[in-house]
Amino acid sequence: MVTGQPIIQVLEGKDLSPKQQAEVLFLCSLAYENDFEPVLSIFKNPTHVLAYVYEVLVSHALWITRWLQYDHLLMLRTAYIEAVAAHPAHQQLGLGTAVMRAVQACILDFDMGGLSPSDERWYARLGWERLEGPLFIQTTDGLLPTPDEEFMVLRLPRTPKLNLKAPLSAEWREGELW
Ligand SMILES: CC(C)(COP(=O)(O)OP(=O)(O)OC[C@H]1O[C@@H](n2cnc3c(N)ncnc32)[C@H](O)[C@@H]1OP(=O)(O)O)[C@@H](O)C(=O)NCCC(=O)NCCS
């Protein structure tokens, strides 16, 4: 188990060294118990937050930009959080929280933060709110309802007044739609 404060680095995907790319892939694959390469490869222009303790990558998150449409009307430039992971040997030590707090401090210029949670309560502690309205994916054939998906938002200084029961849609993408 590691102790001590993590050193946080914020880096655009294109600036990650090959060693860091391998570290991110290794950590996410370990935390998600799956080969994470196909997942990481679909994120366009990610910005990574890396937390190191004694030069070991112990936790990670990234954000990409997605345009989400609120209430069938307003386009919101959303910092969409993905690949939140803490090393399984070093969980429950505040390391995941440390990267999320760093992400949240970096995305203040966006219209909104967004993510699809696996554990809603974990994010709720950090100010994230569950959207209760219907979710859709925009396709060439119209709006595809995605009733089984969950979505949480983080209100930022530029976030308009949000009704959490209003519909929200996102553009289609490969892999996980939300
Ligand atoms: C989710 C994950 C990143 C959390 O990382 P972590 O470093 O273990 O989390 P932290 O230590 O920062 O969080 C611990 C805090 O959360 C609290 N917490 C943990 N689980 C909680 C829950 N289900 N509900 C509420 N609080 C919870 C703890 O009580 C603790 O709070 P405290 O600091 O006030 O005591 C990690 O478990 C992980 O990598 N999981 C596998 C991948 C994954 O599912 N990622 C998220 C996908 S959306």
Side-chain angles (χ1 to χ4, degrees):
M1 181 189 292
V2 297
T3 54
Q5 287 300 310
I7 292 172
I8 305 275
Q9 283 187 28
V10 181
L11 283 173
E12 288 185 29
K14 64 180 171 48
D15 297 329
L16 247 54
S17 68
K19 177 169 176 279
Q20 286 173 315
Q21 288 174 26
E23 288 169 344
V24 169
L25 176 58
F26 178 75
L27 175 65
C28 290
S29 299
L30 209 56
Y32 285 83
E33 299 178 333
N34 219 334
D35 176 12
F36 215 69
E37 204 282 326
V39 182
L40 281 176
S41 66
I42 63 165
F43 300 138
K44 303 272 184 289
N45 303 319
T47 303
H48 297 262
V49 176
L50 309 163
Y52 287 93
V53 174
Y54 302 129
E55 299 186 12
V56 175
L57 182 68
V58 287
S59 61
H60 169 272
L62 65 80
W63 74 86
I64 52 173
T65 302
R66 281 188 95 180
W67 286 90
L68 303 189
Q69 190 168 26
Y70 168 74
D71 210 8
H72 302 306
L73 193 69
L74 201 56
M75 297 302 292
L76 297 177
R77 186 173 156 264
T78 303
Y80 202 95
I81 318 302
E82 300 273 13
V84 180
H87 193 294
H90 312 302
Q91 290 183 359
Q92 298 298 319
L93 296 174
L95 297 167
T97 299
V99 287
M100 280 304 294
R101 287 200 193 286
V103 166
Q104 291 175 204
C106 289
I107 60 171
L108 297 176
D109 278 349
F110 282 82
D111 295 332
M112 183 173 82
L115 58 79
S116 174
S118 63
D119 184 343
E120 193 184 315
R121 290 175 307 148
W122 192 78
Y123 293 102
R125 311 155 36 241
L126 294 165
W128 293 77
E129 297 171 87
R130 167 128 181 241
L131 208 81
E132 293 160 32
L135 297 172
F136 300 93
I137 291 292
Q138 300 149 17
T139 73
T140 47
D141 295 330
L143 289 178
L144 172 74
T146 51
D148 296 335
E149 301 285 349
E150 285 187 8
F151 189 71
M152 295 181 87
V153 297
L154 182 71
R155 296 177 206 247
L156 299 173
R158 302 169 71 117
T159 305
K161 197 169 171 359
L162 287 183
N163 171 1
L164 295 175
K165 293 189 162 53
L168 191 75
S169 68
E171 77 280 23
W172 186 89
R173 68 173 183 182
E174 275 183 58
E176 303 244 329
L177 295 173
W178 284 97

